[in-house]
Amino acid sequence: MKLQTLIISLIPLLFFGCASSKLSQTVQKKEPLHVAMATNYPPLAFKENGVVKGIEVDLARLLAKELNRDLIIDESEWKQLPNLLESSYVNIVMSGVSITKKRSEMVLFSNPFMKVSQMALLREGVQAPNTATLGMGKRIGYSKGTTGELFVKKAFSLAKHKAYKNLRFGIAALLNEEIDYFFHDSPAIWHYSTQNSIENLMGWYVPYTDEHIAWALNSNDYALKKRVDAIILKWQADGTFSRVFNRWIPSRASLLPNGKLISFE
């Protein structure tokens, strides 16, 4: 009788002990959310005084919180970002990635959460970009490996094309009169124009393309995509995206061009 009583009394301890062990293993196995970014793209992701900040940095922190995972931001060059998803180390790429047919064959995209367009920076007094002339006689710059490059080569086929590492190098080229225009995503043009006042340099707020920004995931990670898509829908409904966008781009204005916007999807 005493032995039976002892065995019965141990059953709850064994049960809860196993549950506690399983819970401990679950907690230990919870992996951080690795988000890869090119941190030279203000206002989406950039470094200031050694601190990484911007629209997608804020969104990455909020996403990690929603997923109940710790966030690790992995900085990388833009051209290396697609390769990082091939490993199991990086979960998501956030770096102003526009959805294109070619990229969709390589990665799994989340639902789009932001619309952007290619816009130009130019020197005051220079004739505005005109796609009707195909860029004849003009020197046009862009960031290498971006939709800006795709756009310039498609819309300004007769221009002299020049590739630069990023917006900062493009601005330097404009100031040195190496190029007539530099094309980049509209958030960068808006941000630059509101944060800087370099003499004789201006943003041309005319959209030339219609692009959708999304986050890139490993092509097989449908489980994470499902969770991320649900969060995107939630944030679109509750105003989270608007609050983050307005923090970094308080002023956004554009003029509609004469002609159809170019899409890369």
Side-chain angles (χ1 to χ4, degrees):
M1 182 66 71
K2 290 183 178 180
L3 179 59
Q4 291 178 341
T5 303
L6 178 60
I7 292 174
I8 292 172
S9 65
L10 284 175
I11 290 176
L13 294 177
L14 291 171
F15 176 80
F16 288 112
C18 291
S20 176
S21 176
K22 289 181 179 179
L23 178 61
S24 175
Q25 290 175 8
T26 302
V27 171
Q28 290 175 357
K29 288 181 179 179
K30 187 182 75 170
E31 297 180 353
L33 183 71
H34 282 267
V35 176
M37 295 183 183
T39 54
N40 56 7
Y41 180 8
L44 270 70
F46 62 103
K47 293 185 80 169
E48 188 173 73
N49 299 322
V51 179
V52 179
K53 55 179 62 176
I55 290 174
E56 292 204 282
V57 176
D58 285 356
L59 293 175
R61 291 187 180 122
L62 292 172
L63 181 63
K65 185 177 180 180
E66 290 273 7
L67 294 172
N68 192 29
R69 296 170 68 173
D70 294 327
L71 173 67
I72 295 179
I73 293 178
D74 300 295
E75 298 180 49
S76 178
E77 294 287 330
W78 165 260
K79 63 182 179 180
Q80 296 298 330
L81 292 176
N83 299 328
L84 295 177
L85 284 175
E86 295 179 4
S87 69
S88 58
Y89 182 73
V90 169
N91 304 113
I92 300 178
V93 166
M94 295 183 181
S95 205
V97 185
S98 298
I99 299 175
T100 67
K101 287 184 178 179
K102 184 176 181 179
R103 290 172 182 168
S104 296
E105 294 172 357
M106 301 168 58
V107 303
L108 191 63
F109 277 111
S110 70
N111 287 339
F113 64 90
M114 186 179 189
K115 289 185 69 173
V116 302
S117 176
Q118 291 301 309
M119 290 185 176
L121 279 174
L122 63 158
R123 292 186 306 280
E124 291 183 2
V126 174
Q127 185 180 15
N130 184 357
T131 54
T133 67
L134 302 180
M136 182 180 292
K138 298 298 182 182
R139 302 161 300 167
I140 305 178
Y142 49 78
S143 290
K144 187 173 179 60
T146 66
T147 47
E149 178 177 2
L150 296 177
F151 163 69
V152 169
K153 289 182 176 180
K154 183 173 183 177
F156 299 104
S157 57
L158 298 183
K160 184 175 182 179
H161 304 149
K162 291 196 173 186
Y164 295 91
K165 186 175 181 180
N166 54 46
L167 177 62
R168 183 165 59 89
F169 286 90
I171 291 171
L174 279 171
L175 294 174
N176 292 331
E177 299 188 13
E178 298 173 13
I179 54 177
D180 300 302
Y181 319 123
F182 184 82
F183 278 90
H184 210 291
D185 295 348
S186 49
I189 303 299
W190 287 321
H191 180 79
Y192 172 81
S193 300
T194 56
Q195 299 295 320
N196 299 275
S197 58
I198 296 180
E199 188 176 357
N200 298 327
L201 210 60
M202 59 175 284
W204 179 246
Y205 297 147
V206 172
Y208 289 83
T209 62
D210 183 22
E211 303 176 44
H212 294 82
I213 301 296
W215 296 324
L217 299 86
N218 184 285
S219 58
N220 297 315
D221 203 346
Y222 289 95
L224 182 57
K225 171 180 165 56
K226 184 177 180 180
R227 296 193 66 187
V228 169
D229 285 347
I231 292 169
I232 288 174
L233 289 174
K234 174 187 172 185
W235 288 353
Q236 288 171 336
D238 67 15
T240 296
F241 282 120
S242 295
R243 287 192 293 273
V244 174
F245 295 160
N246 290 337
R247 177 187 176 192
W248 294 101
I249 318 174
S251 176
R252 299 188 291 275
S254 64
L255 302 172
L256 291 176
N258 293 321
K260 186 179 180 180
L261 299 180
I262 293 176
S263 175
F264 300 109
E265 293 184 52

